[in-house]
Amino acid sequence: MGFSKKHIFDEQQNQAALITKVLGHPARISIIQHISQNKCCNCNELVQNIGLAQPTISQHLNEIKKIGLLDQDAKGKNLFYSINVDRLNDCRRIINDFFVKTQINCCK
Amino acid sequence: MGFSKKHIFDEQQNQAALITKVLGHPARISIIQHISQNKCCNCNELVQNIGLAQPTISQHLNEIKKIGLLDQDAKGKNLFYSINVDRLNDCRRIINDFFVKTQINCCK
DNA sequence: ATTTATTATCGTAATATTGCAATATATAAA
DNA sequence: TTTATATATTGCAATATTACGATAATAAAT
């Protein structure tokens, strides 16, 4: 046990769960907020501001990349991250749809 | 290691992360949808429909309860679950705020 | 009182996540 | 070429999550 059973759920359910799972850690919420507030934010800046070790930040960045929320732009030795706004809006729509449909079902 | 560091994040960040973490599993997405579609849905019905063992469903229900999304109404030996719509809308607002603020920051 | 049905809890195994030190990699500067 | 800086990867320890069988608890029905 301990294994995943996502095959018994449909595409939409797995998609909504994947997005919320990635958002389901305060470090990742914080990283996304910080990048959005400081366009062209590099890894080091996140390490300084958030207070987690560099490998830990790097790991969380990878999780966020999994749902396509990050663009990156290498400039010299720096790697600047920014939010992919189109994908952000996709995610927002997917999660909001879940809430709206649930709410409508409850009240009819 | 392996321990949580949520004390380095603010209340809002932890709140958003807690809500999304609970939603971050397809079984819980499915359970919430099923309860919303069938008002007064008991545990057994979820077990039948979702295809996970009864203790597993019970465990997921407990996770969902942690963010106040479930009301329960004991009728005889049955325990009927329903969605707390006020709390659902709270959660929706909290998550949507996160998306909207992030999007605004990106584009100014 | 015994049986039946429903849900919760306990115990446990498998796996996943979180966090970091150490190290590797890559690029720029000296 | 050596040094410095930025990021990624590896390896590992601690903890959390997921899933389920077994069992307990509760309430109705016989």
Side-chain angles (χ1 to χ4, degrees), chain B residues 31 35 39-43 46 57-66 68-85:
Chain B
I31 288 171
I35 294 176
K39 279 181 252 289
C40 294
C41 169
N42 67 359
C43 179
L46 294 166
I57 295 290
S58 203
Q59 209 172 353
H60 282 302
L61 285 168
N62 264 319
E63 293 300 310
I64 302 171
K65 280 180 205 166
K66 278 188 190 165
L69 232 45
L70 292 182
D71 286 335
Q72 47 191 30
D73 180 21
K75 281 217 173 99
K77 42 189 180 180
N78 287 278
L79 185 48
F80 292 105
Y81 291 102
S82 57
I83 303 293
N84 183 321
V85 182

Side-chain angles (χ1 to χ4, degrees), chain B residues 2 5 12 31-32 35-36 39 49 51 55 62 65 72 76 81 83 90 95 104 106:
Chain B
K5 276 206 159 184
Q12 283 201 343
I31 288 171
I32 292 168
I35 294 176
S36 79
K39 279 181 252 289
N49 274 277
N62 264 319
K65 280 180 205 166
Q72 47 191 30
Y81 291 102
I83 303 293
D90 285 345
I95 303 310
I104 290 174
C106 284

